[in-house]
């Protein structure tokens, strides 16, 4: 299985997990998942471009890219501290799927 295929499978699992909050989550959980989902989509698109350029560890690159995006957002006070902590918790859980 190619790195591209592995990445797509992992990203699809992560996306499905974020989407699960639409049906199964509370309003607040949906807010947290939706916030992370927006950043996730941007990070995935950026990593897909890197894969085309020969990136050989896209899952690790996705984690680093998404983490940087979130940290920048948190530093800009886009979320309250409790919400940022919940986004971080959900972010970390995505990479354990």
């Amino acid at each position: 299985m190619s790195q591209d295929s592995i990445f797509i499978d992992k990203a699809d699992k992560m996306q499905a997990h974020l989407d699960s909050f639409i049906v199964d989550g509370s309003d607040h959980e949906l807010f947290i998942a939706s916030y992370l989902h927006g950043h996730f989509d941007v990070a995935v698109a950026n990593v897909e471009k890197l894969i085309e350029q020969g990136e050989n560890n896209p899952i690790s690159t996705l984690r680093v890219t998404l983490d940087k995006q979130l940290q920048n957002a948190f530093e800009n006070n886009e979320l309250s501290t409790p919400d940022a902590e919940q986004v971080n918790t959900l972010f970390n859980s995505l990479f354990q799927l």
Side-chain angles (χ1 to χ4, degrees):
M1 192 176 240
S2 71
Q3 283 294 328
D4 190 29
S5 297
I6 293 169
F7 176 75
I8 290 169
D9 287 345
K10 180 73 170 180
D12 286 348
K13 286 179 186 175
M14 294 172 161
Q15 176 122 12
H17 182 66
L18 292 172
D19 290 345
S20 73
F21 289 92
I22 295 169
V23 174
D24 299 326
S26 68
D27 288 345
H28 190 70
E29 289 170 329
L30 178 59
F31 167 74
I32 296 299
S34 296
Y35 182 86
L36 179 55
H37 200 254
H39 284 279
F40 176 80
D41 287 345
V42 171
V44 166
N46 289 332
V47 172
E48 286 175 340
K49 290 177 188 173
L50 294 174
I51 290 171
E52 292 172 8
Q53 299 170 5
E55 172 60 48
N56 62 2
N57 197 348
I59 295 169
S60 178
T61 302
L62 176 62
R63 185 176 193 128
V64 170
T65 301
L66 186 54
D67 185 49
K68 284 180 184 177
Q69 284 178 213
L70 291 173
Q71 294 313 311
N72 287 338
F74 299 158
E75 288 171 7
N76 288 329
N77 296 313
E78 289 185 11
L79 294 174
S80 68
T81 300
D83 287 345
E85 289 170 357
Q86 290 177 0
V87 168
N88 244 349
T89 298
L90 181 57
F91 160 75
N92 287 321
S93 74
L94 288 180
F95 290 90
Q96 297 174 5
L97 294 174

